């Protein structure tokens, strides 16, 4: 009798484990956030930046992308996602044709080779702002982040190289129409990855948030 009860309760417990695990995973899922730019800027923590030990190779990219079966790396997957006219995908994920619009400078581009995939918050800036303490796996996830549509963006090589590793205190997109979007996406990326800002950067963000970009809305989901 007792043995039968033990077996019954044991079976019930084992049956509940997947349900409990599923519920816990669901409860822990990151929640999408929507807020004003001013409030979003207020959520960014301020610290001094430190680039000690940074190398670009600390962030493995490009990896095999979100779809491991498509034969395309992260760069190519971002290009495919952002094309306004889809390119032809040939063997080895070679992209021919297609059309893109680089929003930093409002330029229409008809060759994938003329585009860079920009990390909204550059790798060096991410390192300065907290990524130096991450694991190699988390840095790789950051460098290949397609979980947010604003983390990686296809832009003209010229503007990406002008930007380099500068933050909004030192560089903004040359197209005035792009600047509020850019500030919003910069802050969204910082919050998504819990990255900090230094004093100059924060003051620059506040100027936009309290002035020309006060109506900008920021959408972000914290990275798992």
């Amino acid at each position: 009798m007792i043995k039968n009860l033990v077996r019954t309760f044991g079976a019930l417990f084992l049956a509940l484990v997947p349900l409990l695990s599923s519920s816990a995973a669901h409860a822990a899922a990151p929640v999408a956030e929507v807020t004003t730019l001013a409030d979003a800027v207020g959520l960014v923590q301020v610290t001094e930046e430190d680039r000690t030990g940074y190398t670009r190779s600390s962030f493995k990219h490009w990896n095999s992308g979100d779809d491991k079966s498509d034969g395309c790396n992260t760069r190519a997957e971002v290009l495919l996602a952002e094309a306004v006219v889809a390119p032809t995908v040939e063997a080895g994920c070679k992209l021919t044709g297609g059309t893109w619009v680089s929003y930093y400078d409002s330029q229409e581009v008809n060759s994938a080779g003329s585009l860079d995939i920009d990390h909204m918050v550059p790798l060096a800036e991410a390192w300065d702002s907290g990524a130096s303490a991450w694991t190699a796996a988390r840095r790789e996830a950051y460098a290949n982040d397609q979980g947010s549509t604003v983390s990686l963006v296809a832009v003209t090589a010229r503007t990406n190289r002008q930007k380099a590793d500068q933050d909004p205190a030192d560089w903004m997109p040359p197209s005035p129409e792009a600047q509020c979007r850019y500030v919003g996406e910069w802050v969204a990326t910082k919050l998504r990855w819990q990255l900090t800002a230094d004093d100059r950067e924060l003051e620059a963000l506040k100027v936009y948030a309290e002035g020309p970009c006060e109506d900008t809305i920021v959408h972000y989901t914290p990275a798992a």
Side-chain angles (χ1 to χ4, degrees), residues 83-169:
V84 294
V85 176
T88 299
V89 183
E90 300 179 351
C93 199
K94 180 181 178 181
L95 307 183
T96 58
T99 301
W100 294 262
V101 175
S102 166
Y103 92 80
Y104 287 1
D105 51 3
S106 300
Q107 294 298 303
E108 183 176 291
V109 180
N110 297 304
S111 169
S114 299
L115 293 160
D116 281 356
I117 303 302
D118 181 37
H119 292 93
M120 174 55 59
V121 174
L123 301 180
E125 170 71 19
W127 179 273
D128 296 349
S129 307
S132 60
W134 294 351
T135 63
R138 188 164 179 82
R139 286 195 289 268
E140 180 179 353
Y142 176 84
N144 296 274
D145 182 21
Q146 294 186 69
S148 167
T149 59
V150 307
S151 295
L152 302 171
V153 57
V155 295
T156 55
R158 180 182 64 257
T159 53
N160 184 45
R161 291 162 200 184
Q162 287 172 348
K163 172 184 173 180
D165 57 9
Q166 299 176 94
D167 67 36

Side-chain angles (χ1 to χ4, degrees), residues 35-37 40-46 49 51 103-104 118-130 134 142 145 148-153 159-160 162-173 178-206 208-209 213 216-221:
T35 186
T36 64
L37 178 58
V41 170
L43 294 173
V44 180
Q45 295 186 7
V46 182
E49 294 186 349
R51 195 157 295 186
Y103 92 80
Y104 287 1
D118 181 37
H119 292 93
M120 174 55 59
V121 174
L123 301 180
E125 170 71 19
W127 179 273
D128 296 349
S129 307
W134 294 351
Y142 176 84
D145 182 21
S148 167
T149 59
V150 307
S151 295
L152 302 171
V153 57
T159 53
N160 184 45
Q162 287 172 348
K163 172 184 173 180
D165 57 9
Q166 299 176 94
D167 67 36
D170 296 308
W171 187 88
M172 288 292 287
Q179 293 180 356
C180 289
R181 173 181 170 183
Y182 181 78
V183 172
E185 294 183 355
W186 179 278
V187 175
T189 305
K190 286 258 168 160
L191 293 176
R192 172 169 168 77
W193 289 93
Q194 297 181 343
L195 296 170
T196 61
D198 64 15
D199 289 328
R200 287 186 69 248
E201 177 188 345
L202 191 70
E203 288 307 309
L205 295 173
K206 285 180 177 178
Y208 286 96
C213 304
T216 298
I217 301 299
V218 173
H219 302 256
Y220 71 95
T221 301

